[in-house]
PDB file of all heavy atoms in Angstrom:
ATOM      1  N   SER A   6      -0.961  13.870  27.067  1.00  0.00           N
ATOM      2  CA  SER A   6      -1.783  12.679  27.225  1.00  0.00           C
ATOM      3  C   SER A   6      -1.029  11.480  26.736  1.00  0.00           C
ATOM      4  O   SER A   6      -0.168  11.569  25.828  1.00  0.00           O
ATOM      5  CB  SER A   6      -3.100  12.835  26.439  1.00  0.00           C
ATOM      6  OG  SER A   6      -3.849  13.924  26.916  1.00  0.00           O
ATOM      7  N   GLN A   7      -1.300  10.307  27.345  1.00  0.00           N
ATOM      8  CA  GLN A   7      -0.703   9.097  26.828  1.00  0.00           C
ATOM      9  C   GLN A   7      -1.102   8.880  25.381  1.00  0.00           C
ATOM     10  O   GLN A   7      -2.115   9.377  24.926  1.00  0.00           O
ATOM     11  CB  GLN A   7      -1.092   7.884  27.693  1.00  0.00           C
ATOM     12  CG  GLN A   7      -2.569   7.490  27.548  1.00  0.00           C
ATOM     13  CD  GLN A   7      -2.907   6.300  28.475  1.00  0.00           C
ATOM     14  OE1 GLN A   7      -2.282   6.125  29.494  1.00  0.00           O
ATOM     15  NE2 GLN A   7      -3.858   5.516  28.035  1.00  0.00           N
ATOM     16  N   THR A   8      -0.271   8.141  24.692  1.00  0.00           N
ATOM     17  CA  THR A   8      -0.528   8.002  23.251  1.00  0.00           C
ATOM     18  C   THR A   8      -0.278   6.560  22.869  1.00  0.00           C
ATOM     19  O   THR A   8       0.156   5.750  23.637  1.00  0.00           O
ATOM     20  CB  THR A   8       0.406   8.948  22.472  1.00  0.00           C
ATOM     21  OG1 THR A   8       0.065   8.890  21.097  1.00  0.00           O
ATOM     22  CG2 THR A   8       1.885   8.533  22.617  1.00  0.00           C
ATOM     23  N   CYS A   9      -0.602   6.237  21.620  1.00  0.00           N
ATOM     24  CA  CYS A   9      -0.298   4.909  21.084  1.00  0.00           C
ATOM     25  C   CYS A   9       1.097   4.953  20.477  1.00  0.00           C
ATOM     26  O   CYS A   9       1.420   5.885  19.723  1.00  0.00           O
ATOM     27  CB  CYS A   9      -1.304   4.503  20.043  1.00  0.00           C
ATOM     28  SG  CYS A   9      -3.005   4.363  20.669  1.00  0.00           S
ATOM     29  N   VAL A  10       1.910   3.989  20.784  1.00  0.00           N
ATOM     30  CA  VAL A  10       3.248   3.868  20.231  1.00  0.00           C
ATOM     31  C   VAL A  10       3.369   2.522  19.591  1.00  0.00           C
ATOM     32  O   VAL A  10       3.103   1.499  20.209  1.00  0.00           O
ATOM     33  CB  VAL A  10       4.329   4.022  21.361  1.00  0.00           C
ATOM     34  CG1 VAL A  10       5.727   3.936  20.766  1.00  0.00           C
ATOM     35  CG2 VAL A  10       4.153   5.341  22.087  1.00  0.00           C
ATOM     36  N   ASP A  11       3.768   2.497  18.290  1.00  0.00           N
ATOM     37  CA  ASP A  11       3.803   1.201  17.591  1.00  0.00           C
ATOM     38  C   ASP A  11       5.090   0.455  17.869  1.00  0.00           C
ATOM     39  O   ASP A  11       5.959   0.926  18.576  1.00  0.00           O
ATOM     40  CB  ASP A  11       3.544   1.373  16.105  1.00  0.00           C
ATOM     41  CG  ASP A  11       4.702   2.044  15.351  1.00  0.00           C
ATOM     42  OD1 ASP A  11       5.806   2.194  15.930  1.00  0.00           O
ATOM     43  OD2 ASP A  11       4.514   2.378  14.171  1.00  0.00           O
ATOM     44  N   ILE A  12       5.226  -0.719  17.262  1.00  0.00           N
ATOM     45  CA  ILE A  12       6.319  -1.639  17.563  1.00  0.00           C
ATOM     46  C   ILE A  12       7.646  -1.048  17.138  1.00  0.00           C
ATOM     47  O   ILE A  12       8.696  -1.499  17.588  1.00  0.00           O
ATOM     48  CB  ILE A  12       6.035  -3.005  16.881  1.00  0.00           C
ATOM     49  CG1 ILE A  12       6.923  -4.089  17.492  1.00  0.00           C
ATOM     50  CG2 ILE A  12       6.192  -2.893  15.356  1.00  0.00           C
ATOM     51  CD1 ILE A  12       6.526  -5.467  17.068  1.00  0.00           C
ATOM     52  N   LYS A  13       7.636  -0.049  16.246  1.00  0.00           N
ATOM     53  CA  LYS A  13       8.863   0.599  15.786  1.00  0.00           C
ATOM     54  C   LYS A  13       9.061   1.943  16.446  1.00  0.00           C
ATOM     55  O   LYS A  13       9.855   2.775  15.945  1.00  0.00           O
ATOM     56  CB  LYS A  13       8.857   0.710  14.246  1.00  0.00           C
ATOM     57  CG  LYS A  13       8.867  -0.647  13.577  1.00  0.00           C
ATOM     58  CD  LYS A  13       8.924  -0.544  12.065  1.00  0.00           C
ATOM     59  CE  LYS A  13       8.970  -1.911  11.422  1.00  0.00           C
ATOM     60  NZ  LYS A  13       9.006  -1.830   9.925  1.00  0.00           N
ATOM     61  N   ASP A  14       8.345   2.201  17.549  1.00  0.00           N
ATOM     62  CA  ASP A  14       8.462   3.410  18.355  1.00  0.00           C
ATOM     63  C   ASP A  14       7.969   4.674  17.632  1.00  0.00           C
ATOM     64  O   ASP A  14       8.365   5.790  17.972  1.00  0.00           O
ATOM     65  CB  ASP A  14       9.923   3.625  18.792  1.00  0.00           C
ATOM     66  CG  ASP A  14      10.012   4.419  20.098  1.00  0.00           C
ATOM     67  OD1 ASP A  14       9.127   4.150  20.963  1.00  0.00           O
ATOM     68  OD2 ASP A  14      10.873   5.267  20.234  1.00  0.00           O
ATOM     69  N   ASN A  15       7.054   4.501  16.715  1.00  0.00           N
ATOM     70  CA  ASN A  15       6.392   5.639  16.084  1.00  0.00           C
ATOM     71  C   ASN A  15       5.131   6.013  16.863  1.00  0.00           C
ATOM     72  O   ASN A  15       4.423   5.123  17.343  1.00  0.00           O
ATOM     73  CB  ASN A  15       6.013   5.324  14.632  1.00  0.00           C
ATOM     74  CG  ASN A  15       7.243   5.041  13.801  1.00  0.00           C
ATOM     75  OD1 ASN A  15       8.208   5.762  13.813  1.00  0.00           O
ATOM     76  ND2 ASN A  15       7.201   3.939  13.049  1.00  0.00           N
ATOM     77  N   ILE A  16       4.821   7.298  16.952  1.00  0.00           N
ATOM     78  CA  ILE A  16       3.575   7.757  17.595  1.00  0.00           C
ATOM     79  C   ILE A  16       2.424   7.566  16.597  1.00  0.00           C
ATOM     80  O   ILE A  16       2.547   7.930  15.443  1.00  0.00           O
ATOM     81  CB  ILE A  16       3.711   9.184  18.045  1.00  0.00           C
ATOM     82  CG1 ILE A  16       4.815   9.331  19.107  1.00  0.00           C
ATOM     83  CG2 ILE A  16       2.388   9.725  18.589  1.00  0.00           C
ATOM     84  CD1 ILE A  16       5.094  10.751  19.518  1.00  0.00           C
ATOM     85  N   VAL A  17       1.329   7.053  17.095  1.00  0.00           N
ATOM     86  CA  VAL A  17       0.151   6.752  16.253  1.00  0.00           C
ATOM     87  C   VAL A  17      -0.982   7.702  16.605  1.00  0.00           C
ATOM     88  O   VAL A  17      -1.312   7.883  17.781  1.00  0.00           O
ATOM     89  CB  VAL A  17      -0.290   5.281  16.423  1.00  0.00           C
ATOM     90  CG1 VAL A  17      -1.466   4.979  15.488  1.00  0.00           C
ATOM     91  CG2 VAL A  17       0.868   4.335  16.176  1.00  0.00           C
ATOM     92  N   ASP A  18      -1.620   8.297  15.623  1.00  0.00           N
ATOM     93  CA  ASP A  18      -2.706   9.194  15.842  1.00  0.00           C
ATOM     94  C   ASP A  18      -3.974   8.453  16.167  1.00  0.00           C
ATOM     95  O   ASP A  18      -4.169   7.279  15.844  1.00  0.00           O
ATOM     96  CB  ASP A  18      -2.936  10.060  14.586  1.00  0.00           C
ATOM     97  CG  ASP A  18      -1.805  11.066  14.389  1.00  0.00           C
ATOM     98  OD1 ASP A  18      -1.142  11.434  15.400  1.00  0.00           O
ATOM     99  OD2 ASP A  18      -1.537  11.433  13.206  1.00  0.00           O
ATOM    100  N   GLU A  19      -4.902   9.146  16.817  1.00  0.00           N
ATOM    101  CA  GLU A  19      -6.195   8.615  17.209  1.00  0.00           C
ATOM    102  C   GLU A  19      -6.929   8.019  15.992  1.00  0.00           C
ATOM    103  O   GLU A  19      -7.025   8.644  14.943  1.00  0.00           O
ATOM    104  CB  GLU A  19      -7.045   9.694  17.849  1.00  0.00           C
ATOM    105  CG  GLU A  19      -8.423   9.290  18.309  1.00  0.00           C
ATOM    106  CD  GLU A  19      -8.405   8.489  19.593  1.00  0.00           C
ATOM    107  OE1 GLU A  19      -7.340   8.354  20.212  1.00  0.00           O
ATOM    108  OE2 GLU A  19      -9.478   8.013  19.992  1.00  0.00           O
ATOM    109  N   GLY A  20      -7.448   6.805  16.131  1.00  0.00           N
ATOM    110  CA  GLY A  20      -8.253   6.186  15.099  1.00  0.00           C
ATOM    111  C   GLY A  20      -7.501   5.374  14.068  1.00  0.00           C
ATOM    112  O   GLY A  20      -8.127   4.732  13.253  1.00  0.00           O
ATOM    113  N   TYR A  21      -6.172   5.398  14.129  1.00  0.00           N
ATOM    114  CA  TYR A  21      -5.394   4.687  13.096  1.00  0.00           C
ATOM    115  C   TYR A  21      -5.093   3.273  13.559  1.00  0.00           C
ATOM    116  O   TYR A  21      -5.002   2.961  14.731  1.00  0.00           O
ATOM    117  CB  TYR A  21      -4.094   5.440  12.820  1.00  0.00           C
ATOM    118  CG  TYR A  21      -4.256   6.624  11.897  1.00  0.00           C
ATOM    119  CD1 TYR A  21      -4.843   7.804  12.321  1.00  0.00           C
ATOM    120  CD2 TYR A  21      -3.864   6.561  10.555  1.00  0.00           C
ATOM    121  CE1 TYR A  21      -5.001   8.892  11.472  1.00  0.00           C
ATOM    122  CE2 TYR A  21      -4.027   7.641   9.695  1.00  0.00           C
ATOM    123  CZ  TYR A  21      -4.603   8.792  10.165  1.00  0.00           C
ATOM    124  OH  TYR A  21      -4.754   9.871   9.324  1.00  0.00           O
ATOM    125  N   TYR A  22      -4.849   2.391  12.564  1.00  0.00           N
ATOM    126  CA  TYR A  22      -4.417   1.032  12.861  1.00  0.00           C
ATOM    127  C   TYR A  22      -2.903   1.018  13.142  1.00  0.00           C
ATOM    128  O   TYR A  22      -2.145   1.754  12.549  1.00  0.00           O
ATOM    129  CB  TYR A  22      -4.706   0.139  11.662  1.00  0.00           C
ATOM    130  CG  TYR A  22      -6.159  -0.108  11.387  1.00  0.00           C
ATOM    131  CD1 TYR A  22      -6.772   0.473  10.297  1.00  0.00           C
ATOM    132  CD2 TYR A  22      -6.931  -0.899  12.257  1.00  0.00           C
ATOM    133  CE1 TYR A  22      -8.122   0.274  10.052  1.00  0.00           C
ATOM    134  CE2 TYR A  22      -8.276  -1.099  12.002  1.00  0.00           C
ATOM    135  CZ  TYR A  22      -8.883  -0.515  10.915  1.00  0.00           C
ATOM    136  OH  TYR A  22     -10.179  -0.713  10.683  1.00  0.00           O
ATOM    137  N   PHE A  23      -2.490   0.127  14.023  1.00  0.00           N
ATOM    138  CA  PHE A  23      -1.033   0.020  14.312  1.00  0.00           C
ATOM    139  C   PHE A  23      -0.765  -1.314  15.029  1.00  0.00           C
ATOM    140  O   PHE A  23      -1.685  -1.989  15.516  1.00  0.00           O
ATOM    141  CB  PHE A  23      -0.598   1.154  15.174  1.00  0.00           C
ATOM    142  CG  PHE A  23      -1.022   1.083  16.620  1.00  0.00           C
ATOM    143  CD1 PHE A  23      -0.092   0.848  17.626  1.00  0.00           C
ATOM    144  CD2 PHE A  23      -2.355   1.234  16.976  1.00  0.00           C
ATOM    145  CE1 PHE A  23      -0.508   0.795  18.960  1.00  0.00           C
ATOM    146  CE2 PHE A  23      -2.787   1.143  18.308  1.00  0.00           C
ATOM    147  CZ  PHE A  23      -1.814   0.940  19.339  1.00  0.00           C
ATOM    148  N   THR A  24       0.504  -1.683  15.069  1.00  0.00           N
ATOM    149  CA  THR A  24       0.945  -2.858  15.831  1.00  0.00           C
ATOM    150  C   THR A  24       1.575  -2.336  17.114  1.00  0.00           C
ATOM    151  O   THR A  24       2.593  -1.624  17.052  1.00  0.00           O
ATOM    152  CB  THR A  24       1.963  -3.669  15.028  1.00  0.00           C
ATOM    153  OG1 THR A  24       1.346  -4.154  13.849  1.00  0.00           O
ATOM    154  CG2 THR A  24       2.478  -4.854  15.851  1.00  0.00           C
ATOM    155  N   PRO A  25       0.993  -2.638  18.302  1.00  0.00           N
ATOM    156  CA  PRO A  25       1.522  -2.091  19.546  1.00  0.00           C
ATOM    157  C   PRO A  25       2.924  -2.624  19.854  1.00  0.00           C
ATOM    158  O   PRO A  25       3.307  -3.686  19.400  1.00  0.00           O
ATOM    159  CB  PRO A  25       0.514  -2.571  20.576  1.00  0.00           C
ATOM    160  CG  PRO A  25      -0.662  -3.059  19.820  1.00  0.00           C
ATOM    161  CD  PRO A  25      -0.170  -3.485  18.477  1.00  0.00           C
ATOM    162  N   LYS A  26       3.651  -1.873  20.686  1.00  0.00           N
ATOM    163  CA  LYS A  26       4.934  -2.371  21.215  1.00  0.00           C
ATOM    164  C   LYS A  26       4.609  -3.613  22.077  1.00  0.00           C
ATOM    165  O   LYS A  26       3.647  -3.631  22.816  1.00  0.00           O
ATOM    166  CB  LYS A  26       5.633  -1.308  22.045  1.00  0.00           C
ATOM    167  CG  LYS A  26       6.303  -0.269  21.191  1.00  0.00           C
ATOM    168  CD  LYS A  26       7.182   0.643  22.048  1.00  0.00           C
ATOM    169  CE  LYS A  26       8.627   0.159  22.084  1.00  0.00           C
ATOM    170  NZ  LYS A  26       9.279   0.235  20.756  1.00  0.00           N
ATOM    171  N   GLY A  27       5.446  -4.590  21.969  1.00  0.00           N
ATOM    172  CA  GLY A  27       5.228  -5.803  22.650  1.00  0.00           C
ATOM    173  C   GLY A  27       5.999  -6.918  21.950  1.00  0.00           C
ATOM    174  O   GLY A  27       6.922  -6.634  21.165  1.00  0.00           O
ATOM    175  N   ASN A  28       5.608  -8.165  22.148  1.00  0.00           N
ATOM    176  CA  ASN A  28       6.354  -9.248  21.508  1.00  0.00           C
ATOM    177  C   ASN A  28       5.522  -9.997  20.509  1.00  0.00           C
ATOM    178  O   ASN A  28       5.747 -11.148  20.194  1.00  0.00           O
ATOM    179  CB  ASN A  28       6.868 -10.219  22.575  1.00  0.00           C
ATOM    180  CG  ASN A  28       5.748 -10.780  23.455  1.00  0.00           C
ATOM    181  OD1 ASN A  28       4.590 -10.407  23.267  1.00  0.00           O
ATOM    182  ND2 ASN A  28       6.093 -11.640  24.391  1.00  0.00           N
ATOM    183  N   ASP A  29       4.483  -9.299  19.964  1.00  0.00           N
ATOM    184  CA  ASP A  29       3.656  -9.940  18.928  1.00  0.00           C
ATOM    185  C   ASP A  29       3.531  -9.022  17.711  1.00  0.00           C
ATOM    186  O   ASP A  29       2.669  -8.114  17.702  1.00  0.00           O
ATOM    187  CB  ASP A  29       2.285 -10.304  19.489  1.00  0.00           C
ATOM    188  CG  ASP A  29       1.472 -11.179  18.539  1.00  0.00           C
ATOM    189  OD1 ASP A  29       1.908 -11.326  17.358  1.00  0.00           O
ATOM    190  OD2 ASP A  29       0.448 -11.720  18.961  1.00  0.00           O
ATOM    191  N   PRO A  30       4.363  -9.195  16.686  1.00  0.00           N
ATOM    192  CA  PRO A  30       4.319  -8.306  15.519  1.00  0.00           C
ATOM    193  C   PRO A  30       3.110  -8.566  14.601  1.00  0.00           C
ATOM    194  O   PRO A  30       2.975  -7.891  13.614  1.00  0.00           O
ATOM    195  CB  PRO A  30       5.638  -8.629  14.810  1.00  0.00           C
ATOM    196  CG  PRO A  30       5.917 -10.045  15.147  1.00  0.00           C
ATOM    197  CD  PRO A  30       5.432 -10.218  16.556  1.00  0.00           C
ATOM    198  N   CYS A  31       2.293  -9.555  14.984  1.00  0.00           N
ATOM    199  CA  CYS A  31       1.156  -9.925  14.137  1.00  0.00           C
ATOM    200  C   CYS A  31      -0.170  -9.353  14.644  1.00  0.00           C
ATOM    201  O   CYS A  31      -1.225  -9.765  14.190  1.00  0.00           O
ATOM    202  CB  CYS A  31       1.057 -11.439  14.000  1.00  0.00           C
ATOM    203  SG  CYS A  31       2.342 -12.123  12.946  1.00  0.00           S
ATOM    204  N   LEU A  32      -0.111  -8.423  15.596  1.00  0.00           N
ATOM    205  CA  LEU A  32      -1.306  -7.789  16.066  1.00  0.00           C
ATOM    206  C   LEU A  32      -1.593  -6.491  15.265  1.00  0.00           C
ATOM    207  O   LEU A  32      -0.649  -5.747  14.938  1.00  0.00           O
ATOM    208  CB  LEU A  32      -1.175  -7.379  17.557  1.00  0.00           C
ATOM    209  CG  LEU A  32      -1.315  -8.478  18.567  1.00  0.00           C
ATOM    210  CD1 LEU A  32      -1.183  -7.911  19.977  1.00  0.00           C
ATOM    211  CD2 LEU A  32      -2.626  -9.206  18.429  1.00  0.00           C
ATOM    212  N   SER A  33      -2.834  -6.263  14.958  1.00  0.00           N
ATOM    213  CA  SER A  33      -3.249  -5.013  14.352  1.00  0.00           C
ATOM    214  C   SER A  33      -4.382  -4.451  15.190  1.00  0.00           C
ATOM    215  O   SER A  33      -5.396  -5.107  15.370  1.00  0.00           O
ATOM    216  CB  SER A  33      -3.704  -5.220  12.904  1.00  0.00           C
ATOM    217  OG  SER A  33      -4.137  -4.011  12.321  1.00  0.00           O
ATOM    218  N   CYS A  34      -4.170  -3.246  15.736  1.00  0.00           N
ATOM    219  CA  CYS A  34      -5.124  -2.653  16.676  1.00  0.00           C
ATOM    220  C   CYS A  34      -5.529  -1.262  16.209  1.00  0.00           C
ATOM    221  O   CYS A  34      -4.865  -0.651  15.348  1.00  0.00           O
ATOM    222  CB  CYS A  34      -4.533  -2.546  18.098  1.00  0.00           C
ATOM    223  SG  CYS A  34      -3.920  -4.113  18.753  1.00  0.00           S
ATOM    224  N   THR A  35      -6.578  -0.736  16.792  1.00  0.00           N
ATOM    225  CA  THR A  35      -6.997   0.642  16.551  1.00  0.00           C
ATOM    226  C   THR A  35      -6.625   1.486  17.728  1.00  0.00           C
ATOM    227  O   THR A  35      -6.828   1.065  18.891  1.00  0.00           O
ATOM    228  CB  THR A  35      -8.524   0.705  16.338  1.00  0.00           C
ATOM    229  OG1 THR A  35      -8.879  -0.127  15.232  1.00  0.00           O
ATOM    230  CG2 THR A  35      -8.973   2.148  16.044  1.00  0.00           C
ATOM    231  N   CYS A  36      -6.050   2.665  17.501  1.00  0.00           N
ATOM    232  CA  CYS A  36      -5.678   3.558  18.602  1.00  0.00           C
ATOM    233  C   CYS A  36      -6.885   4.326  19.059  1.00  0.00           C
ATOM    234  O   CYS A  36      -7.502   5.043  18.269  1.00  0.00           O
ATOM    235  CB  CYS A  36      -4.582   4.536  18.102  1.00  0.00           C
ATOM    236  SG  CYS A  36      -4.043   5.702  19.377  1.00  0.00           S
ATOM    237  N   HIS A  37      -7.236   4.196  20.375  1.00  0.00           N
ATOM    238  CA  HIS A  37      -8.382   4.891  20.915  1.00  0.00           C
ATOM    239  C   HIS A  37      -7.992   5.410  22.285  1.00  0.00           C
ATOM    240  O   HIS A  37      -7.719   4.643  23.223  1.00  0.00           O
ATOM    241  CB  HIS A  37      -9.602   3.963  21.015  1.00  0.00           C
ATOM    242  CG  HIS A  37     -10.800   4.623  21.602  1.00  0.00           C
ATOM    243  ND1 HIS A  37     -11.453   5.653  21.016  1.00  0.00           N
ATOM    244  CD2 HIS A  37     -11.462   4.356  22.770  1.00  0.00           C
ATOM    245  CE1 HIS A  37     -12.484   6.035  21.793  1.00  0.00           C
ATOM    246  NE2 HIS A  37     -12.510   5.238  22.854  1.00  0.00           N
ATOM    247  N   ASN A  38      -7.965   6.742  22.465  1.00  0.00           N
ATOM    248  CA  ASN A  38      -7.599   7.337  23.753  1.00  0.00           C
ATOM    249  C   ASN A  38      -6.267   6.857  24.264  1.00  0.00           C
ATOM    250  O   ASN A  38      -6.114   6.598  25.466  1.00  0.00           O
ATOM    251  CB  ASN A  38      -8.699   7.118  24.779  1.00  0.00           C
ATOM    252  CG  ASN A  38     -10.007   7.884  24.493  1.00  0.00           C
ATOM    253  OD1 ASN A  38      -9.945   8.928  23.790  1.00  0.00           O
ATOM    254  ND2 ASN A  38     -11.102   7.396  24.963  1.00  0.00           N
ATOM    255  N   GLY A  39      -5.306   6.677  23.371  1.00  0.00           N
ATOM    256  CA  GLY A  39      -4.000   6.255  23.758  1.00  0.00           C
ATOM    257  C   GLY A  39      -3.868   4.791  24.099  1.00  0.00           C
ATOM    258  O   GLY A  39      -2.835   4.366  24.612  1.00  0.00           O
ATOM    259  N   GLU A  40      -4.890   4.017  23.818  1.00  0.00           N
ATOM    260  CA  GLU A  40      -4.875   2.578  24.112  1.00  0.00           C
ATOM    261  C   GLU A  40      -5.124   1.787  22.837  1.00  0.00           C
ATOM    262  O   GLU A  40      -5.915   2.230  21.987  1.00  0.00           O
ATOM    263  CB  GLU A  40      -5.979   2.228  25.123  1.00  0.00           C
ATOM    264  CG  GLU A  40      -5.807   2.883  26.477  1.00  0.00           C
ATOM    265  CD  GLU A  40      -4.900   2.072  27.382  1.00  0.00           C
ATOM    266  OE1 GLU A  40      -4.314   1.064  26.913  1.00  0.00           O
ATOM    267  OE2 GLU A  40      -4.798   2.422  28.568  1.00  0.00           O
ATOM    268  N   PRO A  41      -4.516   0.621  22.686  1.00  0.00           N
ATOM    269  CA  PRO A  41      -4.829  -0.283  21.583  1.00  0.00           C
ATOM    270  C   PRO A  41      -6.144  -1.008  21.826  1.00  0.00           C
ATOM    271  O   PRO A  41      -6.312  -1.633  22.868  1.00  0.00           O
ATOM    272  CB  PRO A  41      -3.635  -1.223  21.509  1.00  0.00           C
ATOM    273  CG  PRO A  41      -3.087  -1.246  22.890  1.00  0.00           C
ATOM    274  CD  PRO A  41      -3.428   0.081  23.503  1.00  0.00           C
ATOM    275  N   GLU A  42      -7.089  -0.904  20.926  1.00  0.00           N
ATOM    276  CA  GLU A  42      -8.360  -1.593  21.069  1.00  0.00           C
ATOM    277  C   GLU A  42      -8.736  -2.320  19.765  1.00  0.00           C
ATOM    278  O   GLU A  42      -8.137  -2.064  18.711  1.00  0.00           O
ATOM    279  CB  GLU A  42      -9.479  -0.567  21.409  1.00  0.00           C
ATOM    280  CG  GLU A  42      -9.309   0.048  22.800  1.00  0.00           C
ATOM    281  CD  GLU A  42     -10.504   0.906  23.171  1.00  0.00           C
ATOM    282  OE1 GLU A  42     -11.422   1.063  22.343  1.00  0.00           O
ATOM    283  OE2 GLU A  42     -10.536   1.394  24.329  1.00  0.00           O
ATOM    284  N   MET A  43      -9.722  -3.217  19.888  1.00  0.00           N
ATOM    285  CA  MET A  43     -10.212  -3.990  18.736  1.00  0.00           C
ATOM    286  C   MET A  43      -9.055  -4.659  17.995  1.00  0.00           C
ATOM    287  O   MET A  43      -8.898  -4.483  16.781  1.00  0.00           O
ATOM    288  CB  MET A  43     -11.057  -3.099  17.805  1.00  0.00           C
ATOM    289  CG  MET A  43     -12.307  -2.566  18.475  1.00  0.00           C
ATOM    290  SD  MET A  43     -13.323  -1.618  17.355  1.00  0.00           S
ATOM    291  CE  MET A  43     -12.299  -0.152  17.136  1.00  0.00           C
ATOM    292  N   CYS A  44      -8.211  -5.379  18.718  1.00  0.00           N
ATOM    293  CA  CYS A  44      -7.015  -5.969  18.139  1.00  0.00           C
ATOM    294  C   CYS A  44      -7.397  -7.275  17.403  1.00  0.00           C
ATOM    295  O   CYS A  44      -8.202  -8.069  17.844  1.00  0.00           O
ATOM    296  CB  CYS A  44      -5.993  -6.269  19.198  1.00  0.00           C
ATOM    297  SG  CYS A  44      -5.395  -4.775  20.046  1.00  0.00           S
ATOM    298  N   VAL A  45      -6.741  -7.473  16.296  1.00  0.00           N
ATOM    299  CA  VAL A  45      -6.865  -8.687  15.489  1.00  0.00           C
ATOM    300  C   VAL A  45      -5.462  -9.273  15.318  1.00  0.00           C
ATOM    301  O   VAL A  45      -4.499  -8.552  15.011  1.00  0.00           O
ATOM    302  CB  VAL A  45      -7.475  -8.399  14.114  1.00  0.00           C
ATOM    303  CG1 VAL A  45      -7.543  -9.662  13.258  1.00  0.00           C
ATOM    304  CG2 VAL A  45      -8.882  -7.797  14.272  1.00  0.00           C
ATOM    305  N   ALA A  46      -5.344 -10.599  15.520  1.00  0.00           N
ATOM    306  CA  ALA A  46      -4.059 -11.244  15.388  1.00  0.00           C
ATOM    307  C   ALA A  46      -4.009 -12.078  14.100  1.00  0.00           C
ATOM    308  O   ALA A  46      -4.930 -12.838  13.825  1.00  0.00           O
ATOM    309  CB  ALA A  46      -3.794 -12.173  16.598  1.00  0.00           C
ATOM    310  N   ALA A  47      -2.953 -11.907  13.334  1.00  0.00           N
ATOM    311  CA  ALA A  47      -2.735 -12.764  12.162  1.00  0.00           C
ATOM    312  C   ALA A  47      -2.147 -14.094  12.624  1.00  0.00           C
ATOM    313  O   ALA A  47      -1.371 -14.136  13.577  1.00  0.00           O
ATOM    314  CB  ALA A  47      -1.804 -12.050  11.175  1.00  0.00           C
ATOM    315  N   LEU A  48      -2.520 -15.142  11.965  1.00  0.00           N
ATOM    316  CA  LEU A  48      -2.013 -16.490  12.291  1.00  0.00           C
ATOM    317  C   LEU A  48      -1.023 -16.938  11.202  1.00  0.00           C
ATOM    318  O   LEU A  48      -1.353 -16.913  10.024  1.00  0.00           O
ATOM    319  CB  LEU A  48      -3.162 -17.492  12.394  1.00  0.00           C
ATOM    320  CG  LEU A  48      -4.296 -17.051  13.333  1.00  0.00           C
ATOM    321  CD1 LEU A  48      -5.365 -18.158  13.392  1.00  0.00           C
ATOM    322  CD2 LEU A  48      -3.773 -16.757  14.728  1.00  0.00           C
ATOM    323  N   CYS A  49       0.174 -17.321  11.618  1.00  0.00           N
ATOM    324  CA  CYS A  49       1.236 -17.667  10.651  1.00  0.00           C
ATOM    325  C   CYS A  49       1.539 -19.139  10.668  1.00  0.00           C
ATOM    326  O   CYS A  49       1.707 -19.722  11.733  1.00  0.00           O
ATOM    327  CB  CYS A  49       2.477 -16.910  10.966  1.00  0.00           C
ATOM    328  SG  CYS A  49       2.249 -15.127  11.115  1.00  0.00           S
ATOM    329  N   GLU A  50       1.637 -19.765   9.476  1.00  0.00           N
ATOM    330  CA  GLU A  50       2.165 -21.095   9.372  1.00  0.00           C
ATOM    331  C   GLU A  50       3.688 -21.029   9.422  1.00  0.00           C
ATOM    332  O   GLU A  50       4.273 -20.036   8.993  1.00  0.00           O
ATOM    333  CB  GLU A  50       1.726 -21.770   8.094  1.00  0.00           C
ATOM    334  CG  GLU A  50       0.240 -22.036   8.005  1.00  0.00           C
ATOM    335  CD  GLU A  50      -0.125 -22.833   6.766  1.00  0.00           C
ATOM    336  OE1 GLU A  50       0.802 -23.268   6.062  1.00  0.00           O
ATOM    337  OE2 GLU A  50      -1.330 -23.022   6.516  1.00  0.00           O
TER     338      GLU A  50
END
């Protein structure tokens, strides 16, 4: 099954928080059915 992969190429288990692969290291999402959901973005000065 597809899975969640974080920005450092680690596999993420169901229900855990992680930063998805992409170009935004300030996202924090929940892994659900191999998809990032309920993402929150940190805002940086």
